[in-house]
Amino acid sequence: MSTPVSGSGIITRSFDQLSTRELHAILELRNRVFVVEQDCVYNDIDGRDIEPTTRHLWISVDGHVAAYARQLRDEDGTIRLGRVVTRVADRGSGLARALVSSVVERADAPIVLDAQSHLMNWYETFGFGVDGEEFIEDGIPHITMRKG
């Protein structure tokens, strides 16, 4: 059922294309990292996962969702990248880089994201630039960044 993109191993689906097992694995990874590891109680299920223009991108390793990103389309047509996450066991392997690169390469509009501030330099390697002042979201410093 997986459909790799251009041989990269990246699977891309709309919400309606996700199997229940895929959805469970995605939500489990997001919860494990953002809620438990980062100790942030926040509403991960924000209603945007199900929007028709939302794309869920991930890479599986050994049958597990190893890295994931969510691509949204804002009302003004801008692409909003978020929920970029990598399983602890797969960090440092370049999987998140592959996901972000895939979004950047296929973008047909400017891309915006709210990066955790400690990742600002990493996002700059993709050509993103700071687009605003640092702010606190869920107790973590963030910075809005834009490309295009």
Side-chain angles (χ1 to χ4, degrees), residues 34 59 67-69 81-86 90-104 113-130 143 145-147:
F34 297 131
I59 299 171
Y68 168 86
L81 179 61
R83 304 292 200 269
V84 179
V85 61
T86 304
D90 296 297
R91 290 188 187 153
S93 63
L95 298 178
R97 177 167 295 283
L99 290 173
V100 174
S101 293
S102 175
V103 171
V104 167
L113 55 87
D114 292 332
Q116 291 184 6
S117 295
H118 73 277
L119 294 171
M120 181 180 69
N121 293 336
W122 185 75
Y123 282 109
E124 286 177 336
T125 67
F126 298 96
F128 286 92
V130 172
I143 191 87
M145 301 186 79
R146 176 177 293 273
K147 179 174 174 52

Side-chain angles (χ1 to χ4, degrees), residues 2-120:
S2 297
T3 53
V5 177
S6 303
S8 65
I10 297 174
I11 302 163
T12 304
R13 300 227 198 292
S14 69
F15 182 81
D16 289 339
Q17 293 171 325
L18 293 172
S19 73
T20 54
R21 288 187 184 278
E22 289 168 338
L23 177 60
H24 181 271
I26 289 165
L27 294 177
E28 179 182 37
L29 176 61
R30 287 176 11 186
N31 181 72
R32 184 179 309 133
V33 173
F34 297 131
V35 177
V36 177
E37 179 184 328
Q38 295 182 358
D39 194 23
C40 287
V41 178
Y42 79 108
N43 189 16
D44 181 39
I45 310 290
D46 60 1
R48 300 222 51 197
D49 287 322
I50 64 173
E51 293 175 1
T53 56
T54 296
R55 293 297 170 261
H56 302 272
L57 298 89
W58 73 94
I59 299 171
S60 291
V61 173
D62 298 329
H64 298 279
V65 174
Y68 168 86
R70 181 174 77 170
Q71 179 183 318
L72 306 172
R73 182 73 67 163
D74 286 344
E75 288 183 16
D76 65 359
T78 301
I79 295 168
R80 179 166 297 276
L81 179 61
R83 304 292 200 269
V84 179
V85 61
T86 304
R87 188 172 64 150
V88 172
D90 296 297
R91 290 188 187 153
S93 63
L95 298 178
R97 177 167 295 283
L99 290 173
V100 174
S101 293
S102 175
V103 171
V104 167
E105 289 167 8
R106 295 182 297 139
D108 61 357
I111 307 169
V112 67
L113 55 87
D114 292 332
Q116 291 184 6
S117 295
H118 73 277
L119 294 171
M120 181 180 69

Side-chain angles (χ1 to χ4, degrees), residues 123-143:
Y123 282 109
E124 286 177 336
T125 67
F126 298 96
F128 286 92
V130 172
D131 189 32
E133 299 295 319
E134 186 177 66
F135 61 96
I136 303 296
E137 184 174 349
D138 301 313
I140 298 174
H142 283 74
I143 191 87

